[in-house]
Amino acid sequence: MRVELQHISKSFGRVWANQDLSLTFEGGQIYAILGENGAGKSTLMKILSGFQSADSGQIVVDGQAVSFEAPTDAIEHGIGMLYQDPLDFPPFTVLENFIAGRPGGFFPDRQAARGILLDLAQRFGFDLDPDAYVDSLTIGERQQLEIMRLLSLNVRVLILDEPTTGISAEQKAQLFDVLKSLAHDDGLTVILVSHKLEDVIELCSSAFVLRQGRLVGQQQIPCDISTLVAMMFGKIVARQERPMSDLGDCVLHAERISLETRRLVVEDVSLDVRAGEVIGLAGLDGSGQNELVRVCCGLLRPDRGAVHIGGREMTGQPYHRFVKHGVAFLPAGRLEEGLIGGMTLTEHFALTLPSRAPWVNWIRARRTAGERIERFNVKGRPGSPIQTLSGGNQQRFALSLLPSNLRLLLLEHPTRGLDVESAMYIWEQLLRRREEGTAIIFISAELDEIVAYSDRILVFFGGRVTLVDDRADMTADRLGELIGGRM
Amino acid sequence: MSTTEQSSPASHPAKPAMNGAQGRMLWRSFLDLLPAMLAPFFGIAAALGIIFGILAWQGADPQIAWDYLYQGTLADAAKRADLVAYWMPLAITSFGLVLTYTAGLWNIGVEGQIVMGAIGATWGVRLFAEGEPLLGLNLGHTGILFMCFVLAAASGALWAALVGFLKTRGGVNEIFGGVALNFIAQTFNMYLVSNGGPWQPAGSRATETARFPEIARLDAFAEYRRLSPATIYITVGAMVLVFLIMYVSRWGLQLRAMGKNQRSAFLLGVRTERNIVLSLAICGALAGIGGAYRVMTPDVSKLTATPSGGVGFLAILVVLLASMSAVLVPFVSFVFAMLSKGGQRIESGFQWDHDLLLDRSLVRVLQSTIVLMVVLAFGVRNRFFPPHRAQPDTDEDEVART
């Protein structure tokens, strides 16, 4: 199927998100849409998938101009999009999610749907239990479900927004195999929206690069990563090396933590972290990293074991007690559980700035918002509602909200979905905190990030943990083996 | 609906250079608020239009209905005083609900909280003003009334806090908990005053208590015997309290954050469980005082079978139509009070006016039509004049700075 976007423009207020963009996608190919945060990639893909409508320009499918009022229209024309945060119904089961949105009258044929689901899962080698609840799945598994759902609706153009963030290396390899097979064997058009140039080079045959709402150019792949970087940023960025620093007292002492969730048994995890230390948690999605992090800030209560913060026993205490003792937690879902959509940046500070007064000091909140926006390079105004910021800016803002003088900072995927420059900026800020004596524990799906910034690494596999503290072992290859369960 | 920006001190420019941008922001938030302010009036106008249309179609002069509405509410000072007396329980309950709805809590149980307040006030009368006072305390007129209001507030607060505990500790959604507790409160009230219940006077067959003794009756204005100055002071006090909470206090901001995203608010350090119980309790206390008004109004002065008379549910509509804005609540609740009161007059007017061959139940259509029309007005607003700040996923600031 051939899809043409012709002279697409879209503005929000007086700002152009897309300006006169013309792109053509052929069947059987895998394309990348590249660009920095806020370059207009997401807007363009939302227009193509019927989620938003363009101000001007048209979409031509196989020579015929079409117009989409809603995502269902786009799906009827064979265009489906997989969002970065999968749009599913967590309280439903896998099968129910699969059925939702399928045509099929008032009484859906559950048996037939189950058959289709299992067939697709088997073809792609996805291991999904149709009766499992979606809120117990990892992002990677929810993504697999969404891909199968779209394919079962006869989608011929599959758009994926940052599909490799938040999923494991293994799931990524599997995803790429599936996408290649869909493009080459089934003739589907696959469009990948991504910041991760390695992924793009590995998977795609051609890349469109956007900058500030305009099309910079189309680049055939294979090519050098630096070529793409140059197109995206106009300059080449490199990862920074972190300086060595002395470690302080023990801030976290976790002793033989064990707990059982519906999906996973975490057993006997012990960890001591000293001030200024950075610990990276690696592992397949859902191997127990998130559970450990949540135990360390009081959001989960371990079945057995003890947690000490700064020498004080804290096991079983509520979250706010941990916060009081200098622990901060930055979750992965920014607008789901980190920030409050609908509130402005100033209001976030008014809410979080420590104060004994019962009233809000708006002047101070506004001043602080202004200062931190400046210091953390957030592109937004104090009065901007948080959801109008792009992902990278939201993450920088979330970081700017954290109090100073933290003992322990826990982060889930701190640079997920960010471009290289934003990710580096985040790490600059984190390393500065480390200099001030804050211990950092972070979860990441990107091994090079873990290798580059961690003093020690915990590798999770099925709830069990291997500690890697020898610099010689800290290579992506060795970690990859451990993550896969090879000791 | 965000309504606090313009009333917060943050809007005072910190730097003179910000004046232009801030002016525009103020203007924008005003434009956002404008449809919310106009929608109820549009709804009322549309509903009246429909009613008048029906009347005209039935061959009746719509003017008559209007006359009755006006005569029943605003025609003279005594009517206006009655209207204010009728309005206050609705207003004070609505103020309480602003807190819970802002925090994202559907306090359906408010009806039961009003009933419990009415029972609490009556209990105060029985403890301190009838027979031998409790502990031999002779509180005097003011003291007794004060204790009645305190007991009413406490009963309402307790009933509401129960909803909160059921939610936070028992995992019972506040809607289900509220509905159940409404039922229990109403049944308990019936038990007290009917079929030889403990509070029904011996030998009486009326489902109500005896009239309160003179010492436990609220003082009314000399010329308006249904309106008591004390209730006005308390209502104004409640209004000031809710204004302070919503527009000045950190707690109000926390409630707003919880209403938008409870999980994020919790992780950002808001004590959500405590706030759920607390906001419900304050709402319950205000609703309880509303219940006390209902039984202590000078011309009532007794606990009846239905002390609330649906004020709680009406208050929920008021708060929803006012978009949870404390500023709009007094106006919207006043309009509702007027329609309720005026509706009664139209109803009785039709009953006795034999020239009009109309089913008087037609008038009840009026209130529901208004609600429907107002909701429709909001729908129309959102469809054709989408609010600026509810624009998700724009990269406006992003692109603006590059």
Side-chain angles (χ1 to χ4, degrees):
Chain A
M1 202 162 85
R2 180 187 165 93
V3 178
E4 291 168 69
L5 293 168
Q6 295 177 346
H7 307 292
I8 299 286
S9 293
K10 173 84 181 175
S11 64
F12 294 109
R14 63 208 182 290
V15 178
W16 292 99
N18 288 164
Q19 208 168 354
D20 196 26
L21 294 178
S22 296
L23 293 76
T24 303
F25 304 102
E26 306 282 355
Q29 301 286 325
I30 303 181
Y31 293 91
I33 306 282
L34 287 175
E36 208 185 345
N37 290 326
K41 311 177 297 278
S42 294
T43 306
L44 185 66
M45 289 303 111
K46 280 177 183 167
I47 291 170
L48 180 55
S49 64
F51 196 84
Q52 280 174 345
S53 54
D55 296 341
S56 61
Q58 62 177 351
I59 302 171
V60 177
V61 176
D62 283 338
Q64 210 161 20
V66 292
S67 75
F68 302 146
E69 287 276 311
T72 39
D73 296 340
I75 287 176
E76 261 170 40
H77 284 91
I79 300 173
M81 175 153 174
L82 180 72
Y83 291 88
Q84 187 175 346
D85 297 308
L87 296 179
D88 46 22
F89 308 99
F92 285 4
T93 64
V94 167
L95 182 62
E96 284 161 345
N97 266 282
F98 186 71
I99 292 172
R102 285 175 66 81
F106 195 72
F107 296 104
D109 186 345
R110 295 177 73 98
Q111 278 314 315
R114 180 185 291 265
I116 297 170
L117 175 67
L118 290 177
D119 285 349
L120 282 169
Q122 198 189 0
R123 172 180 166 189
F124 299 128
F126 294 156
D127 179 26
L128 279 183
D129 174 5
D131 300 315
Y133 283 91
V134 166
D135 54 9
S136 68
L137 302 187
T138 63
I139 297 254
E141 288 167 334
R142 287 162 65 181
Q143 219 173 46
Q144 295 174 351
L145 168 63
E146 189 66 5
I147 289 177
M148 291 193 290
R149 194 181 72 81
L150 290 172
L151 289 178
S152 79
L153 297 170
N154 294 319
V155 160
R156 303 291 299 161
V157 176
L158 190 60
I159 307 167
L160 301 103
D161 188 3
E162 297 288 349
T164 59
T165 49
I167 69 174
S168 64
E170 207 168 63
Q171 283 172 329
K172 183 172 115 178
Q174 198 179 10
L175 175 72
F176 281 10
D177 287 344
V178 167
L179 295 179
K180 280 176 188 159
S181 147
L182 286 173
H184 302 148
D185 305 340
D186 301 14
L188 261 69
T189 309
V190 175
I191 303 173
L192 183 77
V193 179
S194 184
H195 295 300
K196 291 197 192 125
L197 302 176
E198 306 83 26
D199 294 354
V200 168
I201 299 273
E202 185 184 339
L203 188 66
C204 303
S205 55
S206 177
F208 293 101
V209 182
L210 305 187
R211 205 193 302 159
Q212 292 173 33
R214 292 170 182 274
L215 183 66
V216 179
Q218 184 173 7
Q219 172 65 42
Q220 294 303 321
I221 297 173
C223 68
D224 283 343
I225 284 192
S226 55
T227 316
L228 294 176
V229 173
M231 285 172 84
M232 281 169 68
F233 298 100
K235 59 180 186 286
I236 295 181
V237 286
R239 274 200 189 276
Q240 60 181 41
E241 272 307 309
R242 79 196 155 71
M244 295 300 290
S245 65
D246 296 329
L247 301 179
D249 299 335
C250 176
V251 293
L252 170 75
H253 171 66
E255 200 184 312
R256 301 178 67 93
I257 302 288
S258 301
L259 78 150
E260 208 175 321
T261 68
R262 227 176 337 175
R263 299 168 40 80
L264 185 74
V265 180
V266 177
E267 219 151 354
D268 275 349
V269 178
S270 297
L271 177 64
D272 282 300
V273 184
R274 294 163 66 188
E277 204 174 6
V278 180
I279 308 283
L281 307 186
L284 298 180
D285 226 13
S287 299
Q289 312 93 304
N290 303 66
E291 282 75 10
L292 178 67
V293 162
R294 276 155 204 258
V295 163
C296 290
C297 62
L299 288 170
L300 269 184
R301 179 195 281 260
D303 297 338
R304 288 185 305 283
V307 182
H308 297 254
I309 301 288
R312 191 189 305 254
E313 157 99 55
M314 297 285 287
T315 323
Q317 301 256 21
Y319 171 72
H320 68 90
R321 303 280 304 169
F322 280 79
V323 171
K324 206 167 263 176
H325 283 98
V327 179
F329 169 57
L330 209 58
R334 283 184 289 262
L335 279 182
E336 292 80 36
E337 46 180 12
L339 302 169
I340 297 169
M343 289 182 73
T344 65
L345 309 194
T346 303
E347 285 171 323
H348 275 83
F349 280 108
L351 191 67
T352 53
L353 281 177
S355 160
R356 286 188 189 285
W359 58 81
V360 182
N361 187 340
W362 286 105
I363 295 171
R364 175 167 160 238
R366 204 186 155 80
R367 202 182 49 224
T368 313
E371 285 166 11
R372 302 274 174 94
I373 284 172
E374 191 75 32
R375 175 137 61 94
F376 284 82
N377 196 18
V378 178
K379 289 172 187 167
R381 289 184 294 265
S384 310
I386 188 72
Q387 74 274 16
T388 62
L389 270 57
S390 68
N393 282 313
Q394 284 175 9
Q395 184 72 343
R396 281 198 288 265
F397 180 70
L399 220 53
S400 80
L401 273 180
L402 296 175
S404 47
N405 302 323
L406 284 173
R407 269 210 178 96
L408 175 63
L409 178 54
L410 304 156
L411 306 121
E412 284 179 346
H413 304 288
T415 62
R416 174 171 146 191
L418 305 192
D419 61 56
V420 185
E421 222 172 10
S422 300
M424 276 179 50
Y425 191 86
I426 299 282
W427 272 107
E428 224 170 88
Q429 299 299 325
L430 292 177
L431 294 180
R432 192 173 300 166
R433 282 188 178 270
R434 176 183 111 121
E435 300 298 309
E436 293 162 4
T438 302
I440 294 174
I441 299 181
F442 74 103
I443 297 174
S444 177
E446 290 175 64
L447 286 182
D448 48 356
E449 183 177 34
I450 289 190
V451 170
Y453 296 112
S454 308
D455 296 316
R456 286 186 293 155
I457 299 169
L458 284 188
V459 183
F460 283 74
F461 176 75
R464 278 173 294 123
V465 169
T466 312
L467 177 68
V468 181
D469 52 5
D470 187 348
R471 296 292 302 174
D473 279 344
M474 293 189 190
T475 62
D477 290 342
R478 175 71 189 125
L479 292 176
E481 286 176 359
L482 288 171
I483 286 171
R486 209 163 346 132
M487 297 299 162
Chain B
M1 199 72 38
S2 179
T3 57
T4 55
E5 279 78 4
Q6 61 277 62
S7 57
S8 65
S11 308
H12 297 307
K15 292 178 229 162
M18 298 292 280
N19 246 334
Q22 293 220 328
R24 270 201 307 281
M25 259 183 61
L26 261 178
W27 176 242
R28 254 167 68 158
S29 26
F30 174 73
L31 281 186
D32 283 346
L33 195 60
L34 193 63
M37 295 197 295
L38 294 180
F41 298 99
F42 166 80
I44 288 152
L48 284 176
I50 288 175
I51 292 294
F52 290 172
I54 295 174
L55 287 174
W57 170 54
Q58 290 288 318
D61 185 358
Q63 181 70 35
I64 294 174
W66 178 252
D67 286 347
Y68 279 136
L69 184 68
Y70 179 74
Q71 280 170 21
T73 52
L74 299 171
D76 55 58
K79 285 281 187 299
R80 290 196 285 271
D82 281 2
L83 180 60
V84 170
Y86 184 83
W87 166 69
M88 280 189 299
L90 179 62
I92 197 167
T93 308
S94 306
F95 281 128
L97 285 175
V98 166
L99 302 180
T100 59
Y101 276 76
T102 299
L105 296 165
W106 277 75
N107 187 13
I108 297 287
V110 70
E111 184 77 8
Q113 290 146 27
I114 294 176
V115 173
M116 288 313 283
I119 293 174
T122 311
W123 190 35
V125 173
R126 294 182 66 87
L127 283 182
F128 298 109
E130 288 180 357
E132 189 61 29
L134 182 74
L135 306 174
L137 284 171
N138 276 313
L139 295 173
H141 180 59
T142 316
I144 289 171
L145 294 178
F146 179 75
M147 284 313 293
C148 286
F149 278 116
V150 167
L151 279 173
S155 311
L158 183 81
W159 213 239
L162 215 52
V163 174
F165 284 122
L166 280 172
K167 183 182 173 77
T168 54
R169 300 269 175 250
V172 180
N173 186 300
E174 74 273 13
I175 296 179
F176 300 129
V179 167
L181 288 175
N182 279 351
F183 189 70
I184 295 173
Q186 272 152 358
T187 312
F188 180 54
N189 184 62
M190 272 315 266
Y191 156 75
L192 288 175
V193 299
S194 70
N195 294 330
W199 287 7
Q200 193 183 33
S204 165
R205 298 188 62 186
T207 49
E208 55 190 29
T209 61
R211 252 175 91 75
F212 299 157
E214 197 67 46
I215 194 169
R217 288 186 201 165
L218 279 176
D219 300 308
F221 284 103
E223 57 275 46
Y224 313 122
R225 49 177 205 83
R226 286 181 184 151
L227 186 58
S228 159
T231 57
I232 296 180
Y233 301 144
I234 298 175
T235 310
V236 170
M239 187 171 88
V240 171
L241 175 76
V242 171
F243 268 62
L244 286 177
I245 290 176
M246 287 310 300
Y247 299 130
V248 179
S249 78
R250 287 167 60 81
W251 192 60
L253 187 68
Q254 292 184 357
L255 292 184
R256 220 145 53 76
M258 285 167 58
K260 289 180 189 299
N261 186 337
Q262 193 175 315
R263 177 77 185 158
S264 288
F266 174 73
L267 287 176
L268 286 177
V270 175
R271 305 280 295 274
T272 49
E273 294 205 344
R274 192 178 65 180
N275 286 355
I276 285 172
V277 175
L278 202 56
S279 63
L280 279 165
I282 294 179
C283 173
L286 293 179
I289 293 174
Y293 289 176
R294 297 278 301 181
V295 293
M296 292 171 74
T297 300
D299 66 321
V300 176
S301 284
K302 63 191 169 199
L303 181 66
T304 61
T306 53
S308 160
V311 164
F313 294 130
L314 208 55
I316 291 175
L317 285 179
V318 165
V319 172
L320 290 182
L321 292 187
S323 314
M324 294 153 230
S325 149
V327 181
L328 295 181
V329 157
F331 303 103
V332 177
S333 59
F334 193 81
V335 169
F336 267 78
M338 208 171 96
L339 290 165
S340 259
K341 198 86 180 137
Q344 288 166 11
R345 182 73 183 88
I346 298 178
E347 218 171 290
S348 60
F350 282 4
Q351 199 173 0
W352 302 112
D353 192 333
H354 298 292
D355 294 341
L356 281 171
L357 293 171
L358 275 178
D359 191 324
R360 64 200 181 96
S361 65
L362 184 65
V363 179
R364 305 213 168 160
V365 175
L366 186 74
Q367 262 194 23
S368 0
T369 316
I370 289 169
V371 174
L372 212 60
M373 287 297 130
V374 173
V375 174
L376 187 67
F378 278 108
V380 169
R381 191 274 306 259
N382 289 338
R383 180 85 175 78
F384 296 105
F385 310 97
H388 297 289
R389 49 190 67 249
Q391 184 82 265
D393 295 325
T394 68
D395 288 347
E396 180 175 330
D397 293 301
E398 185 76 19
V399 188
R401 296 268 301 242
T402 48

